[in-house]
Amino acid sequence: VHCVHQLSSLPCQFIDERVFLNNKSLVETQHIPREAMLQFGQKGDAPVNPHAITFLVTGAKLDLRRYVDGVDAEQLECTLRRYSTEGIHVRWPVKGDQEYNRWFTCTLRHTKDLFRVTSFLRHPSDQPPSGQQDYHSWPAIGDREILTTTVVMVVKTHSPSVTVGLRSKQTLHCQFAVDHKAPNFIVEWYWEHKGGRVKLFSHTSRTGLTQGDGVGLKSLASGDASYTLPFTKMSSEGTYVCLVSVNPLVASLALSLHIEEPPRVSLNTGPTLSLQEGSKKTIICDAESYYPLDVEMVWYEQDLAVSGQREGASPSKNMKLSSHIRNHDNTYSLSALLDIQASLRDSGRLFTCSVSHRSLKVPIRKSFILIVEESSSWTFILTVGFAVVILVIIFRVMLLHLHS
């Protein structure tokens, strides 16, 4: 297996932009996908794919491949884009750097969404800014052009999508690195849900000003901006945004947090249920305190062979579901009711309540065995008992009569 660190290049898609005014004098952006290669090497190297745009990443303090080391290249999706500094011009503080730069972003995403890495590529230029927003006058890039760049900033998360249960501690991973010492950075965390946005944390390294909590200040110095939720609840669900700013660059990573709570399943009977022939009983299977709403409940019944081997189970036709109940903590509950009319032919049958939910790898099953007793035996016992009582009464009356 060739790790990414051992590879010299990666195929990428370069999403180019063309900004223009439409016939209504409104600004529109046209996205143009183009073939590109992310190639690692030295300035002057020949392109691996001469028919594609080559982003040649030369040696610097930050090696982008280190952030995806150990992953097969086929498991990576690479996307390159232009980056606008919104008219802000700052000379990047690297020794020997040119005055001006053109900026690009490179996003590496695991195909199974196990991580995401966003990096900034700096392409030195001797052309000063035009004085207007850079996206209004993007320099043209030829189909076979070679752009020599260096990686100046990297932001990564191991948890682009997280699923947790209620009342648990969860850390949302976010790390960053910059190519020069003691950079002036700003780290912010936001929570977004149903159109709303709330700032959870912010820290400015230059002033030391900090608002909110959840991020360790000591860990920030080493580039660890992870945010910790001490106690997850239903209102914790949503999108969390890790934002790292190093002027004029701003990187943001969106992390989705989903709540899944497995159901608690119980029956209102024990492992065996004894009924008299002809009697009726409703067995209730309760699935309680689960989230999200979607749950599937089915009653199955099957015969048990004398040897203990089971025949095929089939869904019961005597089942009905209650209405969903929303609990005070916004979890849900549901009941599956099984109506049984005791029959001798059903004696020894196994009844199973199966509950499936997104939070479960396999369904939860609760079972009982039905034992049906003949009603004639009870009639005989009652008849004999009644006869004995009558005889005792007659005998007592005769004794009293004889005594008198």
Side-chain angles (χ1 to χ4, degrees):
V1 177
H2 291 281
C3 297
V4 175
H5 189 75
Q6 297 172 316
L7 298 179
S8 60
S9 61
L10 282 173
C12 297
Q13 187 177 52
F14 175 45
I15 308 298
D16 206 353
E17 293 183 357
R18 186 176 74 88
V19 181
F20 61 95
L21 294 177
N22 60 19
N23 53 12
K24 295 182 181 180
S25 298
L26 298 176
V27 177
E28 283 193 16
T29 301
Q30 180 185 10
H31 297 282
I32 308 168
R34 303 174 67 182
E35 184 181 6
M37 292 293 294
L38 189 68
Q39 182 174 329
F40 301 93
Q42 302 297 325
K43 186 175 181 180
D45 286 353
V48 174
N49 183 357
H51 304 289
I53 303 171
T54 298
F55 287 81
L56 181 61
V57 181
T58 58
K61 291 185 178 180
L62 293 181
D63 188 348
L64 179 59
R65 294 170 292 181
R66 183 172 66 87
Y67 293 87
V68 291
D69 193 14
V71 178
D72 192 341
E74 295 180 355
Q75 296 177 300
L76 290 174
E77 294 178 358
C78 176
T79 305
L80 291 156
R81 297 178 183 271
R82 297 180 187 260
Y83 180 78
S84 172
T85 59
E86 303 292 340
I88 299 175
H89 167 64
V90 175
R91 186 181 183 278
W92 194 251
V94 176
K95 185 177 180 180
D97 185 28
Q98 296 185 26
E99 183 68 24
Y100 308 108
N101 297 290
R102 292 161 62 187
W103 300 98
F104 299 90
T105 61
C106 174
T107 300
L108 299 179
R109 175 184 173 273
H110 193 278
T111 53
K112 294 183 179 180
D113 216 19
L114 299 183
F115 62 79
R116 292 179 188 172
V117 180
T118 296
S119 61
F120 288 88
L121 306 181
R122 181 177 59 84
H123 175 59
S125 172
D126 55 3
Q127 298 295 323
S130 61
Q132 59 178 342
Q133 294 285 9
D134 44 11
Y135 53 78
H136 284 303
S137 58
W138 289 125
I141 298 176
D143 290 338
R144 300 184 179 184
E145 187 170 343
I146 301 175
L147 300 171
T148 303
T149 65
T150 55
V151 178
V152 299
M153 181 175 168
V154 178
V155 182
K156 178 181 181 178
T157 180
H158 285 304
S159 52
S161 182
V162 179
T163 300
V164 296
L166 294 173
R167 298 170 291 278
S168 63
K169 182 178 180 180
Q170 181 62 40
T171 298
L172 303 176
H173 175 257
C174 180
Q175 70 179 99
F176 68 96
V178 186
D179 69 342
H180 55 273
K181 293 182 179 180
N184 292 324
F185 63 84
I186 299 175
V187 170
E188 296 174 305
W189 276 94
Y190 293 89
W191 175 72
E192 298 177 347
H193 188 63
K194 295 183 178 180
R197 194 182 204 199
V198 178
K199 180 184 285 190
L200 304 173
F201 174 84
S202 69
H203 173 78
T204 303
S205 64
R206 184 175 59 84
T207 62
L209 180 63
T210 302
Q211 295 179 335
D213 51 19
V215 179
L217 297 183
K218 291 183 178 179
S219 61
L220 277 176
S222 60
D224 184 2
S226 300
Y227 181 80
T228 300
L229 288 162
F231 186 82
T232 56
K233 47 191 176 181
M234 207 63 72
S235 59
S236 302
E237 198 170 43
T239 300
Y240 291 78
V241 179
C242 175
L243 190 146
V244 181
S245 304
V246 178
N247 201 22
L249 309 177
V250 180
S252 64
L253 291 174
L255 292 72
S256 300
L257 180 70
H258 306 279
I259 300 294
E260 286 187 5
E261 188 68 11
R264 299 195 303 268
V265 182
S266 61
L267 301 180
N268 65 337
T269 185
T272 59
L273 174 65
S274 297
L275 294 177
Q276 184 183 353
E277 183 183 12
S279 62
K280 296 180 180 179
K281 187 174 180 62
T282 299
I283 306 301
I284 303 175
C285 178
D286 289 320
E288 301 176 290
S289 302
Y290 58 85
Y291 186 87
L293 180 64
D294 297 333
V295 70
E296 182 180 4
M297 301 184 70
V298 181
W299 272 104
Y300 292 97
E301 54 181 278
Q302 57 191 142
D303 288 325
L304 297 180
V306 177
S307 62
Q309 296 178 349
R310 298 181 181 181
E311 299 178 1
S314 58
S316 176
K317 298 179 181 179
N318 300 320
M319 186 195 97
K320 56 186 177 181
L321 293 174
S322 68
S323 300
H324 282 281
I325 298 175
R326 188 166 185 173
N327 303 312
H328 64 87
D329 60 355
N330 290 325
T331 60
Y332 297 93
S333 296
L334 183 68
S335 298
L337 288 73
L338 178 68
D339 294 325
I340 294 179
Q341 184 167 4
S343 172
L344 288 176
R345 67 174 182 272
D346 293 330
S347 186
R349 292 179 72 85
L350 179 70
F351 292 84
T352 302
C353 175
S354 176
V355 180
S356 301
H357 188 257
R358 183 191 304 175
S359 61
L360 303 173
K361 293 182 179 180
V362 295
I364 296 177
R365 295 180 175 89
K366 297 288 184 178
S367 304
F368 70 92
I369 296 176
L370 177 64
I371 305 297
V372 180
E373 300 175 347
E374 293 186 27
S375 58
S376 58
S377 62
W378 288 100
T379 303
F380 176 76
I381 293 173
L382 290 174
T383 302
V384 171
F386 182 75
V388 170
V389 171
I390 294 298
L391 289 173
V392 170
I393 293 174
I394 293 173
F395 183 70
R396 183 175 180 81
V397 170
M398 290 178 65
L399 286 176
L400 291 174
H401 180 70
L402 290 174
H403 181 73
S404 64

